């Protein structure tokens, strides 16, 4: 199966780029349809421009009213006939309109083995810091379906990453991010091949 992918990203967008690259090199059949960012200066928007993918800056700046923002995001996804919504470092909570219309079709990636090291405030370096402080030997990457609770939707794929004794937040974050890129692409491949059903 082949899907139209809608990306929501707040910052760098390296996960998004890994998926776009996989669509371009034939590893995935799906098509990057639209990029939406709440940050007009994000790397994600720069990448969209470079790739010639339609993009939108939609945020509390463009839409101060929460419901209006939710509706604007939904309209952009629908305008581009998006089948699957990919959260790739998206730092905002999605509204109920998008979550209802795309029930079980919104995916997120988290840089740890959920349900551990997830929830509000657990993002970026805070996740890796907590993993190191707890002296974990194993961390990892989780892909899950998004519902209205932070990091609590059904898990569809997890991959472990080893923590080394001399790891710093930076070295661990780098190693996990590389695995994130492969894991997001591989998970989408399994969805395309019908091995994971949304
Ligand atoms: C990744 O670590 C992802 O797990 C988290 O945000 C980060 C996004 O990185 N949700 P990038 O923008 O894809 O480079």
């Amino acid at each position: 199966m082949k899907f139209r992918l809608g990306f929501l990203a707040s910052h760098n967008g390296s996960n998004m780029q890994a998926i776009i690259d996989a669509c371009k090199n034939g590893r995935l059949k799906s098509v990057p349809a639209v990029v939406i960012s709440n940050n007009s200066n994000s790397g994600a928007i720069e990448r969209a421009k470079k790739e010639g993918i339609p993009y939108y800056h939609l945020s509390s700046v463009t839409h101060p009213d929460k419901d209006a923002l939710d509706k604007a995001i939904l309209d952009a996804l629908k305008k581009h006939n998006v089948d699957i919504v990919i959260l790739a470092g998206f730092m905002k909570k999605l509204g109920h309109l998008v979550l209802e219309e795309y029930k079980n079709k919104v995916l997120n990636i988290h840089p740890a083995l959920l349900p551990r090291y997830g929830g509000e405030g657990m993002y970026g370096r805070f996740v890796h810091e907590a993993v190191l402080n707890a002296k974990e030997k194993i961390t990892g990457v989780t892909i899950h379906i998004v519902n209205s609770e932070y990091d609590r939707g059904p898990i569809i794929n997890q991959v472990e990453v080893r923590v080394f004794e001399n790891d710093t937040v930076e070295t661990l974050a780098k190693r996990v991010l590389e695995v994130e890129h492969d894991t997001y692409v591989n998970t989408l491949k399994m969805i395309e091949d019908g091995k994971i059903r949304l």
Side-chain angles (χ1 to χ4, degrees):
M1 274 190 290
K2 168 176 170 164
F3 303 101
R4 292 183 59 80
L5 308 176
F7 296 94
L8 284 155
S10 300
H11 297 296
N12 181 15
S14 71
N15 276 286
M16 179 186 93
Q17 186 72 54
I19 296 168
I20 293 169
D21 291 347
C23 294
K24 282 164 62 177
N25 70 24
R27 164 103 175 114
L28 293 176
K29 297 191 207 97
S30 294
V31 177
V34 64
V35 173
I36 299 169
S37 184
N38 61 308
N39 172 2
S40 60
N41 293 315
S42 64
I45 287 195
E46 280 313 306
R47 292 175 194 274
K49 283 185 193 163
K50 204 163 143 243
E51 298 287 348
I53 301 168
Y55 61 89
Y56 297 80
H57 166 226
L58 298 174
S59 70
S60 55
V61 174
T62 62
H63 296 78
D65 178 73
K66 258 189 170 180
D67 290 336
L69 176 58
D70 187 15
K71 172 86 168 49
I73 293 175
L74 180 60
D75 287 349
L77 294 170
K78 297 211 83 166
K79 178 165 182 233
H80 294 277
N81 297 311
V82 166
D83 304 303
I84 298 179
V85 179
I86 311 274
L87 304 193
F90 188 60
M91 302 304 290
K92 298 284 170 188
K93 251 188 167 175
L94 281 177
H96 64 101
L97 289 177
V98 172
L99 286 176
E100 275 155 32
E101 182 77 26
Y102 283 95
K103 194 165 190 308
N104 294 327
K105 303 278 187 256
V106 183
L107 306 183
N108 184 39
I109 187 158
H110 187 79
L113 296 174
L114 290 175
R116 307 195 66 197
Y117 306 106
E120 207 147 3
M122 271 297 182
Y123 61 89
R125 65 177 294 118
F126 300 116
V127 176
H128 304 300
E129 235 160 45
V131 166
L132 289 175
N133 286 340
K135 307 222 175 311
E136 297 285 2
K137 297 256 179 302
I138 303 281
T139 182
V141 171
T142 302
I143 309 275
H144 67 96
I145 291 172
V146 175
N147 58 22
S148 52
E149 268 181 278
Y150 268 121
D151 299 334
R152 286 276 170 223
I155 291 169
I156 58 172
N157 198 8
Q158 283 189 312
V159 174
E160 292 185 350
V161 177
R162 276 189 61 194
V163 183
F164 299 132
E165 257 176 36
N166 58 352
D167 261 330
T168 61
V169 169
E170 288 71 28
T171 59
L172 185 58
K174 182 166 180 283
R175 196 157 62 254
V176 170
L177 188 62
E178 279 163 16
V179 176
E180 286 188 48
H181 296 162
D182 287 346
T183 306
Y184 229 158
V185 169
N186 293 341
T187 304
L188 283 166
K189 173 85 179 127
M190 286 191 269
I191 294 169
E192 285 187 350
D193 291 347
K195 291 179 184 153
I196 296 176
R197 288 189 185 280
L198 297 184

